[in-house]
Amino acid sequence: MIYALIISLIFFFMINVPIAIAIALSSIVAIVIKGNIPLLVIVQKMFTATDSFPLMAVPFFILAGSLMEFGGISKRLVDFANSIVGRFSGGLALVAIIASMFFGAISGAAAATTAAIGSILIPAMVRRGYDRNYSTAVQATAGTLGVMIPPSIPMVIYGVLTGVSIGALFVGGIIPGILVGCSLMLVAFKIAKKRGYKGDEKPSLKKVFETFKEAILALLMPIIILGGIYGGVFTPTEAAVIAVVYGFLIGFFVYRELKLKDLKDILTNTVVSTAMIMFIIATASIFGWILASEQIPQVIASAILSISKNPIVIMALINILLLFLGTFMETIAAIIIVVPVLMPIISQIGIDPLHFGLIVVVNLAIGMVTPPLGVCLFVGCSIAGITLEDITKAVWPFLIAMIIDILIITYIPAVSTFLPKLFGM
Amino acid sequence: MNLFSIVLDRINKTIEWIVSGMLIVMVIVVFLQVIFRFIIMSSLSWSEELARYLLVWISFLGASIGVKRKAHIGVEAVTTFLPERIKKVVALIATLSAMVFFVVVIIWGYKILDVVSNQVSPAMEINMSIPYSALLVSGILMFLYSIENFVNIIKALKGGGIA
């Protein structure tokens, strides 16, 4: 039965059946072969998986990000970032990374971050004479910060799956996100300096203050979200709905760039993006149920633990597996399939599930910019009008930096757990 | 465009309006829940349940829009390297496979209504077949949209054109 499950899953993936449906089909094949389980379980599991209050944070964070983007937030974040780091060599590249970090603190998705900031900054970098491939590589890798810096949709999913506090994951993501952001800036700066990409003139203090004042309402948002969750005032879902209302009010009444006629598209696109994720969650719950009832995670755990019991070796293997999955598979699907399988190993070698959550999210985020497949690569390329081969040449230095980061995050648990512990989460 | 496609487009447009409305209601309901707890200091009993059932409906109706827009993500690692014609044949098999799943959702999505129709939800006390019928409705929609996709691929195969 288990072979039928795996082989049919690979087959349906190969012929490009959508992930959610491929997972469902392979589960159906397994259930039919097993013979004694009614197919009613399929619709039953799909319903209970989507009938969830914590998962409501997914549409709310997508909607909040989208409202803020249409409401003119991304432009203001870019202006503010420009007034801080625009003066240095490769200034605009640094702006792209800082602005993506700011945007990541509002949005929970990487592709959205790449698109929102990239559509402003990739053309701006090219106009300033930066190499097009370099500009795109900077923005695509910076976009992954969208899922590392809280809020983060993959963290919500991980929390729902494992029972780890979503609030603690959010707080835990702050230092890893900043670490990755800084290392990307370092690489961008070194390359820019070598190639002689000059920065802007140093802006006056007045200018810095003005752009800060324009962006302050956007910058307050993460404080409301994280502060509310940390203070125990809101659940993550409630914080997300506050973000939606806040984003709407600012875009509509303060910045006045949000138009009623955009609203229908914003809403429909939010629903479709949500449904893509929820549909995978729905069908993966059948798949996961089969795996669990056949005790597959335990079998895999003992197989891996028979190779080595050394946590350092095992974590290295798991990192390689996650990077590979992240490259070839959609992030949410990868989390749902692989996390339940790996959990028994993690608990046996004594890794904190909170720490592991951040390892998973950062690894899969790197997968979004690892050629030949990666959602941020695709978004970046389509904005810049370049091919996958072009960006592949330029993205390597950034990837190497990110892989060093993931090693740091893996082997120094405090990077992820220090802040949550400090706040007693 | 033939009548079948026109009707499907109409249905899909209507569904898009419905899910947008549902999303707005979901935002308002959860927001009210927060407001009630903090400002009026009393909890609503029904808000969480209503929001959850809306999420179920949004997820499955949204998935049908995804099928219509061909927005569901697949693994293109292998099929990208196939020649055009074979790619279309593979797409045909993939669409047929998906349709098998939709039929399963339709049949058992209908059967489960029998099981749950004598239950009522804990808070709002509505018949449980109301939230559960999201699966049946979405199954039917996705099946219909797949027929359209299937016919389009066949046409492209015959004409040698681009789907």
Side-chain angles (χ1 to χ4, degrees), chain B residues 6-91:
Chain B
I6 296 170
V7 172
L8 288 189
D9 280 356
R10 270 283 159 74
I11 295 176
N12 186 52
K13 274 269 141 20
T14 315
I15 301 283
E16 286 190 9
W17 280 104
I18 294 173
V19 290
S20 302
M22 284 177 165
L23 182 57
I24 293 178
V25 175
M26 202 166 98
V27 169
I28 293 172
V29 165
V30 179
F31 188 63
L32 279 181
Q33 175 178 322
V34 180
I35 297 288
F36 266 72
R37 208 172 63 224
F38 286 101
I39 298 172
I40 310 173
M41 300 299 236
S42 77
S43 313
L44 297 173
S45 60
W46 47 270
S47 59
E48 182 180 320
E49 191 179 275
L50 174 59
R52 277 192 283 115
Y53 293 162
L54 283 170
L55 180 65
V56 172
W57 270 95
I58 283 175
S59 302
F60 291 112
L61 286 182
S64 83
I65 302 174
V67 171
K68 175 81 180 144
R69 293 187 182 178
K70 301 194 191 74
H72 288 279
I73 323 136
V75 181
E76 290 168 11
V78 180
T79 47
T80 354
F81 298 106
L82 296 172
E84 271 311 307
R85 226 184 137 70
I86 298 177
K87 206 190 275 182
K88 290 213 179 68
V89 175
V90 171

Side-chain angles (χ1 to χ4, degrees), chain A residues 183-368:
Chain A
S183 62
L184 290 177
M185 282 196 277
L186 189 70
V187 175
F189 176 76
K190 287 264 179 215
I191 297 177
K193 189 141 202 191
K194 206 170 79 192
R195 297 189 185 168
Y197 297 156
K198 292 225 165 37
D200 281 335
E201 269 174 45
K202 192 167 182 251
S204 65
L205 217 61
K206 189 164 160 270
K207 181 96 195 334
V208 175
F209 184 70
E210 263 169 26
T211 57
F212 174 69
K213 215 175 72 190
E214 274 288 301
I216 179 77
L217 287 172
L219 296 170
L220 270 178
M221 178 122 150
I223 296 171
I224 297 173
I225 295 175
L226 288 180
I229 298 175
Y230 159 62
V233 183
F234 315 130
T235 63
T237 300
E238 290 172 344
V241 88
I242 303 279
V244 170
V245 175
Y246 183 81
F248 177 75
L249 293 179
I250 289 179
F252 202 70
F253 293 110
V254 183
Y255 294 160
R256 294 189 187 168
E257 290 186 27
L258 193 65
K259 301 278 175 289
L260 271 184
K261 66 174 169 50
D262 297 330
L263 216 51
K264 159 77 175 35
D265 276 349
I266 292 176
L267 290 167
T268 325
N269 290 338
T270 301
V271 169
V272 176
S273 310
T274 304
M276 304 288 98
I277 297 172
M278 295 296 287
F279 206 41
I280 294 175
I281 293 173
T283 60
S285 72
I286 319 165
F287 190 86
W289 178 75
I290 296 174
L291 288 184
S293 64
E294 298 289 301
Q295 307 236 318
I296 303 306
Q298 289 76 1
V299 174
I300 294 179
S302 57
I304 290 183
L305 290 171
S306 71
I307 303 171
S308 167
K309 286 202 169 50
N310 183 341
I312 294 176
V313 177
I314 291 176
M315 286 318 289
L317 291 174
I318 288 179
N319 270 317
I320 293 169
L321 172 75
L322 287 171
L323 270 180
F324 177 81
L325 275 177
T327 303
F328 290 100
M329 212 171 182
E330 198 273 335
T331 313
I332 306 295
I335 291 183
I336 298 176
I337 292 179
V338 86
V339 165
V341 175
L342 293 180
M343 266 346 251
I345 307 178
I346 296 308
S347 59
Q348 283 208 30
I349 58 172
I351 303 272
D352 183 348
L354 168 67
H355 175 207
F356 184 58
L358 291 151
I359 296 175
V360 170
V361 171
V362 175
N363 258 310
L364 296 177
I366 298 173
M368 296 175 186

Side-chain angles (χ1 to χ4, degrees), chain A residues 88-91 93-94 97 125 129-138 141 183-198 391-401:
Chain A
F88 301 107
S89 287
L94 305 183
I97 297 163
M125 284 189 266
Y130 293 17
D131 172 49
R132 198 175 273 270
N133 301 345
Y134 164 83
S135 311
T136 317
V138 168
T141 47
S183 62
L184 290 177
M185 282 196 277
L186 189 70
V187 175
F189 176 76
K190 287 264 179 215
I191 297 177
K193 189 141 202 191
K194 206 170 79 192
R195 297 189 185 168
Y197 297 156
K198 292 225 165 37
I391 195 173
T392 303
K393 279 177 274 180
V395 85
W396 285 112
F398 298 97
L399 269 182
I400 291 167

Side-chain angles (χ1 to χ4, degrees), chain A residues 80-122:
Chain A
F80 176 53
N82 194 21
S83 76
I84 315 173
V85 292
R87 72 191 80 155
F88 301 107
S89 287
L92 283 177
L94 305 183
V95 171
I97 297 163
I98 294 266
S100 297
M101 289 168 80
F102 289 153
F103 197 85
I106 293 168
S107 153
T113 306
T114 313
I117 305 298
S119 55
I120 303 175
L121 274 167
I122 293 176

